[in-house]
Amino acid sequence: MTMLEILLPVLIILIGLSLLKCPIYISILCSAIYLQIFVNHMSLTNVFTGFFEAMTKNALLAVPFFMVAGSLIAASSLGTRLINVCIETLKSIRGGLPIACVIANAIFGAISGSGPAATATFGKIVHKPLSERHGESMSLGIITSSACLSTIIPPSITMIIYGVATETSITKLFLAGILPGILIVVIVSVYLIIMCKPRPGVEKEKFSARAFGKALWKGLPVLVLPVLVLGSVYTGICTPTESGALAAAYSFIVAVFGTRDIKFKQLLPIFKDAGRTTAQVFLLIAGSTVFSQAATIAQLPAAVTEAFGGMGQIQFLLMLNVLLLIVGCFFDTSAAILILAPMLLPTAAALGIPSLHLGMVFVVNLAIGLFTPPFGLNIFVAQSVLKRPMVQISKACVPYIILYIVSVLI
């Protein structure tokens, strides 16, 4: 069979089931079963074995811990305390309020690693003041786009999944994610300073040391968390999994016993929500791993390497950026990484592109897909939380899509 004869039925199954609104892991698993039975002529037992083995990797233990930490923070006042510290710090400078939203999302990313959770948490808090001061479009755009920093800035669930898929050190991926995250924050902040002109009739706010001190004292419990999580990983005290457990335990103690925002009777729904999301991620990982194994046996990665054999590094990276931007608009971030990363890694290695570099290209490009129409997940969350039309939110995100693409090219 030629590569076209192999790929065409796979794409028909994958896209067809997705259009029928099947869960993405079902679409991927059915494609994998087709490859194993009709292309590789192997027993169905291999599918079940691969499905089970995919969920037994130690690195994946970090995922439920960070999910629990994010759910506890979203259900408590910790998100509000965080954004208040950023607002009180920056409110006196031009564009201070939207910049505060960007930086709060960056800090939230160093705790949770979940873009949709950041959209829901900060959207409720800053949408009204942002709209009043800088207009509805900027408010919707900055809330929806800056939430994807949670995917880029470590600890990131997306990075954990890439590390598992490509056998790359997750600690090194966490280190590699800091600079792209800071670069995006700086570029977006400069844009906001230029665009946020004082509006007629809106009085400029002044910095208040008293208000800042009060907000800092209240926000101290949540500001300590990124230092604990990232500091413990970068100093070698904890593995990424242990740092996730530390984040979950700390969030639990602070939210239940410190700020007392969460009562014991509220814990079960919070843990159920985190468990449901974790189960969805694990099913996706298992289905995608089976697909990657089947694709490898069918020699699809070798065919991809041969197809791009005549390209240089720059040509390959530009082609990959375009591909990932398109894929990110339609597919879940985790699914895109689990399917494409193992197939493209041999090509990248042959061109001398390190796995860490490839990982950052994947993570940042697919993060842009979270707020890119028509299927950006952050857009759906913002629509649900802010009660605004999807078209309006999508238009508001366009300037930030361009800014993030500039960051990717840099």
Side-chain angles (χ1 to χ4, degrees):
M1 295 177 73
T2 65
M3 280 301 124
L4 183 61
E5 290 172 334
I6 294 172
L7 279 173
L8 193 58
V10 169
L11 291 173
I12 290 171
I13 293 168
L14 196 60
I15 296 169
L17 290 177
S18 298
L19 291 173
L20 291 172
K21 298 185 178 180
C22 281
I24 185 67
Y25 75 90
I26 294 290
S27 305
I28 294 168
L29 191 59
C30 288
S31 301
I33 290 170
Y34 166 80
L35 282 173
Q36 288 288 56
I37 294 175
F38 296 102
V39 177
N40 300 330
H41 306 293
M42 297 179 72
S43 167
L44 200 59
T45 308
N46 294 287
V47 173
F48 295 111
T49 304
F51 196 84
F52 175 76
E53 288 179 351
M55 292 188 282
T56 59
K57 295 180 180 178
N58 290 335
L60 292 176
L61 284 171
V63 175
F65 289 130
F66 284 118
M67 290 290 187
V68 168
S71 296
L72 287 166
I73 292 166
S76 67
S77 67
L78 294 177
T80 305
R81 291 165 184 254
L82 172 60
I83 191 71
N84 285 341
V85 174
C86 296
I87 289 171
E88 290 298 333
T89 306
L90 299 168
K91 68 180 182 181
S92 61
I93 71 169
R94 182 168 166 173
L97 185 56
I99 293 172
C101 185
V102 174
I103 293 175
N105 273 286
I107 298 172
F108 189 87
I111 302 169
S112 163
S114 172
T119 306
T121 301
F122 296 125
K124 300 171 188 175
I125 303 167
V126 297
H127 176 245
K128 186 176 179 182
L130 264 175
S131 297
E132 291 173 352
R133 183 165 286 273
H134 299 292
E136 183 80 358
S137 180
M138 178 167 285
S139 176
L140 294 173
I142 206 69
I143 289 168
T144 309
S145 64
S146 57
C148 82
L149 286 167
S150 294
T151 304
I152 300 166
I153 292 178
S156 163
I157 293 168
T158 305
M159 288 181 189
I160 293 170
I161 291 170
Y162 177 86
V164 170
T166 60
E167 297 183 356
T168 304
S169 166
I170 293 170
T171 302
K172 289 181 179 179
L173 284 167
F174 281 4
L175 281 167
I178 294 175
L179 192 58
I182 293 173
L183 175 67
I184 290 169
V185 169
V186 170
I187 288 175
V188 174
S189 297
V190 170
Y191 169 80
L192 292 171
I193 290 170
I194 295 169
M195 296 301 295
C196 292
K197 297 176 182 178
R199 298 184 76 186
V202 179
E203 188 177 344
K204 184 180 178 181
E205 293 189 70
K206 295 179 181 179
F207 178 81
S208 168
R210 185 176 179 181
F212 170 74
K214 187 177 178 181
L216 182 62
W217 177 252
K218 286 186 175 181
L220 203 57
V222 70
L223 291 172
V224 168
L225 189 49
V227 179
L228 283 175
V229 173
L230 297 180
S232 63
V233 173
Y234 297 152
T235 55
I237 296 171
C238 294
T239 64
T241 299
E242 290 165 346
S243 71
L246 182 64
Y250 179 87
S251 302
F252 175 82
I253 292 167
V254 171
V256 176
F257 300 107
T259 61
R260 297 183 180 179
D261 296 318
I262 298 175
K263 307 298 179 186
F264 278 101
K265 64 181 180 182
Q266 296 173 286
L267 287 173
L268 186 58
I270 291 170
F271 290 148
K272 275 185 176 179
D273 180 61
R276 189 181 300 110
T277 308
T278 302
Q280 290 170 349
V281 172
F282 273 42
L283 283 169
L284 190 56
I285 290 169
S288 300
T289 302
V290 172
F291 180 87
S292 296
Q293 290 171 349
T296 302
I297 295 168
Q299 298 185 335
L300 289 181
V304 172
T305 303
E306 187 179 341
F308 297 121
M311 286 189 176
Q313 284 187 353
I314 301 299
Q315 288 173 304
F316 174 75
L317 287 172
L318 286 172
M319 179 280 302
L320 180 60
N321 286 331
V322 173
L323 173 66
L324 292 175
L325 284 170
I326 295 169
V327 169
C329 297
F330 297 95
F331 283 93
D332 179 86
T333 302
S334 301
I337 285 176
L338 289 161
I339 292 172
L340 293 175
M343 292 180 66
L344 293 170
L345 185 61
T347 307
L351 293 171
I353 299 168
S355 178
L356 280 176
H357 186 177
L358 187 71
M360 290 306 103
V361 172
F362 263 89
V363 169
V364 179
N365 271 293
L366 293 172
I368 299 172
L370 288 172
F371 61 96
T372 305
F375 298 116
L377 184 56
N378 286 3
I379 295 176
F380 288 108
V381 175
Q383 182 189 27
S384 174
V385 172
L386 305 177
K387 310 300 181 187
R388 295 294 185 276
M390 186 178 292
V391 173
Q392 186 181 5
I393 298 171
S394 299
K395 286 181 179 178
C397 289
V398 171
Y400 304 97
I401 294 171
I402 295 168
L403 291 173
Y404 276 71
I405 290 173
V406 170
S407 303
V408 168
L409 292 174
I410 292 172

